[in-house]
Amino acid sequence: MLRVRSTRGVCAGAVDGANNLTLHTDKYQINMMYAHWINGTDGEGAVFEAFFRKLPFGNGYAVFAGLERIVEFIRHLKFGEEELAYLAKQEENYDPGFLERLRQFRFKGTVHAVEEGSLVFPNEPIVRVEGTIFETQLVETALLNFMNYQTLIATKASRIKQVAAGDILLEFGTRRAQEADAAVWGARAAYIAGFHATSNMHAGMMFGIPTKGTHAHSWVQGHESEEEAFLAYAKALPEGVTLLVDTYDTLRSGVPNAIKTARYLESIGKRLGGIRLDSGDLAYLSKEARKMLDAAGLQDAKIVASNDLDETLIFNLKAQGAKIDTWGVGTQLITAADQPSLGGVYKLTARKRDGQYIPVIKISGNPEKVSAPGKKNVYRIMNKSTGLAEADYMTLHDETAILNGERIKLFDPVHPYIHRFISSYEAVPMLKPIVVDGEIVYKLPQLEEIRSFHEHQLSLFRPEILRKLNPDLYPVHLSEQAWQLKTDLIKAHQQ
């Protein structure tokens, strides 16, 4: 089981000072908790579901990531003395009894979630939190923060992986990431989705991700000549040397000097690992450099490319016949530059009264923001004939027809007249128990297992769903009972 080491300001490890993420929340959560406590409703039951409404990047799917950090956050939820002292200074002037209530707080709720690396789709619960309103309200902000960012980066990385085919992918984004947390957890999310290594040593140490690196332009600038710089570097680190060849002139000096260095390496029984291109016309330069390396008998030397790459640039470079073996992707990946937020939400779907769940709904002037009420389960409908995912299907938590393999109706919730029936299927539950009554019951898998799981997930979907351009729409359906409940509640609130 992968355990995240406690590193100040990065991991939710210890429970003191900056390491304690309990107050990693919006103030209105604390104020609502206080209002519930004042009104004596803090022990009432509630069900919240976290989901997103729209796929990022125009993609056909998203890749769920962030569960491990959510689990570690819940594991260490505790109001320490520093947190309580800080709350005591707030303008709301919280009653001392409330602060004492927080001092005794421990999360005793239940969490179900999709497994990391799963392909997920709009409007279906990715995480479901059940417990008292006091505790379910507290975890909202952090849960969304972890889920939204890591899912976004994993999805971006998966898009890049799809266009890079069998090439090597390196995550190079640390210096452009939005602070340390984004760099290390973004590197982890990218690795889940198929990247092969990261430049971030901290992420490598924390998660066991392979680390890779070459050298900077400053190394070349700091020597009397490029040839001297390359030779000095090769003497210091002779194993798998990769040389950055564009400091001065890629084809007139960089590659020729790399070839001279390769000759030195051969003299001591080593081989040049490769060269790196970081500027210029990468398609042209890579093709010319490949010719030069091959002519020098260095067919095994790899060409690494970087310079603000993303899935579109990689796709176009490959279409132009670029001779690039390894892609170093940084800014565009770690910041998800073309869509820097996922927009996941956390909505109350049911309240518990007298031991029974009462479904609740949020109605909006924007139809896409009308929530699906009730505590729900999500199933992936696997077609027994093809072995592929047919649709995702949301039911109310107490429905049994799908568990019995009965014929079900799949219909578009926006245009319900568009429908079909399916009877030869396997219903795979998507929401797994993670925390039950405050106890963590889910064994966090090793990162390599999550990575392999994601790769297998991709094989369960039609290529049309996975393609980069104009992906086909994967259907997400409500059961007839869930759809009818939503319709009834909309009518009830509009009378």
Side-chain angles (χ1 to χ4, degrees):
M1 185 187 305
L2 176 63
R3 293 300 183 200
V4 180
R5 283 181 279 276
S6 173
T7 304
R8 188 171 184 84
V10 175
C11 304
V15 288
D16 62 323
N19 283 337
N20 188 343
L21 292 183
T22 301
L23 284 184
H24 185 51
T25 189
D26 294 305
K27 191 172 192 178
Y28 82 161
Q29 310 286 15
I30 300 295
N31 284 346
M32 285 188 289
M33 293 168 69
Y34 183 71
H36 277 297
W37 180 77
I38 286 289
N39 287 284
T41 56
D42 51 307
E44 293 184 352
V47 178
F48 282 85
E49 293 172 356
F51 58 95
F52 61 89
R53 297 189 180 104
K54 184 179 180 181
L55 285 163
F57 318 115
N59 210 40
Y61 63 93
V63 181
F64 174 54
L67 179 59
E68 177 161 318
R69 199 160 199 213
I70 291 170
V71 170
E72 291 300 319
F73 169 73
I74 289 173
R75 186 195 306 276
H76 297 291
L77 268 180
K78 178 182 179 181
F79 289 88
E81 294 307 314
E82 289 184 50
E83 287 69 42
L84 295 170
Y86 177 72
L87 289 173
K89 298 175 183 178
Q90 299 303 299
E91 63 183 359
E92 285 79 4
N93 193 25
Y94 300 121
D95 188 292
F98 173 67
L99 300 181
E100 184 58 33
R101 170 81 162 84
L102 295 182
R103 181 178 280 109
Q104 304 304 318
F105 175 87
R106 298 295 183 275
F107 185 84
K108 297 297 182 182
T110 294
V111 178
H112 285 75
V114 171
E115 295 182 274
E116 279 196 285
S118 296
L119 271 59
V120 290
F121 300 91
N123 299 310
E124 61 184 16
I126 300 174
V127 183
R128 189 181 73 209
V129 183
E130 181 181 355
T132 66
I133 190 66
F134 202 72
E135 58 195 347
T136 54
Q137 204 73 71
L138 176 63
V139 301
E140 173 182 357
T141 302
L143 185 154
L144 286 176
N145 178 209
F146 304 149
M147 179 191 89
N148 281 338
Y149 176 69
Q150 292 190 48
T151 299
L152 188 73
I153 302 306
T155 305
K156 182 73 168 177
S158 187
R159 278 173 62 78
I160 296 169
K161 174 74 172 178
Q162 293 296 306
V163 302
D167 298 343
I168 298 298
L169 291 167
L170 309 178
E171 184 279 309
F172 278 180
T174 296
R175 62 189 59 195
R176 302 286 172 76
Q178 283 88 349
E179 249 283 349
D181 278 21
V184 295
W185 291 97
R188 180 182 182 276
Y191 190 68
I192 285 173
F195 270 59
H196 298 89
T198 178
S199 65
N200 188 294
M201 296 296 285
H202 194 182
M205 182 181 72
M206 286 174 62
F207 306 122
I209 302 172
T211 55
K212 296 289 183 181
T214 57
H215 64 78
H217 292 105
S218 61
W219 175 263
V220 178
Q221 294 171 286
H223 291 77
E224 291 302 315
S225 70
E226 186 177 56
E227 181 179 353
E228 177 188 325
F230 286 178
L231 186 59
Y233 190 78
K235 287 180 177 179
L237 295 158
E239 302 293 338
V241 176
T242 298
L243 298 170
L244 181 59
V245 296
D246 71 335
T247 303
Y248 300 126
D249 189 302
T250 298
L251 299 181
R252 291 173 58 188
S253 67
V255 177
N257 283 324
I259 291 171
K260 291 179 184 178
T261 306
R263 299 297 178 235
Y264 161 74
L265 288 167
E266 289 169 357
S267 74
I268 61 172
K270 306 294 183 182
R271 296 289 291 178
L272 177 69
I275 62 169
R276 177 178 158 213
L277 306 172
D278 190 49
S279 61
D281 186 328
L282 296 180
Y284 171 72
L285 292 174
S286 67
K287 286 186 280 189
E288 293 302 308
R290 182 76 271 162
K291 293 175 186 176
M292 296 168 70
L293 292 170
D294 289 351
L298 298 170
Q299 292 87 350
D300 56 336
K302 305 299 183 184
I303 298 179
V304 181
S306 51
N307 190 23
D308 276 345
L309 296 172
D310 64 6
E311 63 271 37
T312 299
L313 274 174
I314 294 173
F315 182 84
N316 290 336
L317 284 166
K318 291 179 77 69
Q320 295 171 57
K323 300 298 182 181
I324 296 169
D325 307 289
T326 299
W327 308 87
V329 188
T331 303
Q332 303 299 316
L333 168 63
I334 206 69
T335 66
D338 48 339
Q339 185 176 328
S341 66
L342 180 65
V345 295
Y346 182 87
K347 295 300 179 184
L348 181 68
T349 61
R351 300 182 300 158
K352 203 168 189 179
R353 295 291 183 275
D354 300 322
Q356 300 294 319
Y357 285 107
I358 301 173
V360 297
I361 191 171
K362 175 186 179 295
I363 297 177
S364 170
N366 299 328
E368 69 277 7
K369 289 190 173 184
V370 178
S371 64
K375 178 182 174 182
K376 295 180 291 299
N377 291 324
V378 184
Y379 299 90
R380 184 145 291 161
I381 306 301
M382 303 299 298
N383 188 309
K384 287 185 176 181
S385 299
T386 66
L388 298 177
E390 190 81 17
D392 282 6
Y393 190 74
M394 291 184 287
T395 74
L396 300 178
H397 75 284
D398 54 359
E399 290 188 52
T400 59
I402 193 168
L403 298 175
N404 298 328
E406 298 176 21
R407 188 180 79 154
I408 56 175
K409 182 180 182 180
L410 302 179
F411 63 94
D412 187 323
V414 179
H415 306 289
Y417 66 89
I418 302 174
H419 68 273
R420 58 197 172 94
F421 293 93
I422 185 169
S423 55
S424 179
Y425 65 88
E426 178 188 1
V428 179
M430 295 296 292
L431 293 172
K432 311 293 184 182
I434 308 299
V435 181
V436 176
D437 297 332
E439 296 295 325
I440 296 170
V441 298
Y442 178 74
K443 182 179 179 181
L444 291 169
Q446 296 283 349
L447 192 54
E448 292 294 341
E449 294 178 69
I450 302 173
R451 179 181 165 88
S452 297
F453 175 74
H454 170 65
E455 186 69 24
H456 175 67
Q457 284 278 294
L458 292 170
S459 70
L460 301 179
F461 290 82
R462 292 184 293 110
E464 294 80 7
I465 303 293
L466 307 179
R467 66 191 177 203
K468 174 183 178 290
L469 297 175
N470 299 316
D472 196 9
L473 180 65
Y474 179 78
V476 177
H477 296 292
L478 285 171
S479 70
E480 291 183 274
Q481 289 186 44
W483 183 81
Q484 189 60 56
L485 173 63
K486 182 176 181 177
T487 301
D488 291 345
L489 284 183
I490 290 172
K491 290 179 179 178
H493 285 284
Q494 289 181 334
Q495 290 178 352

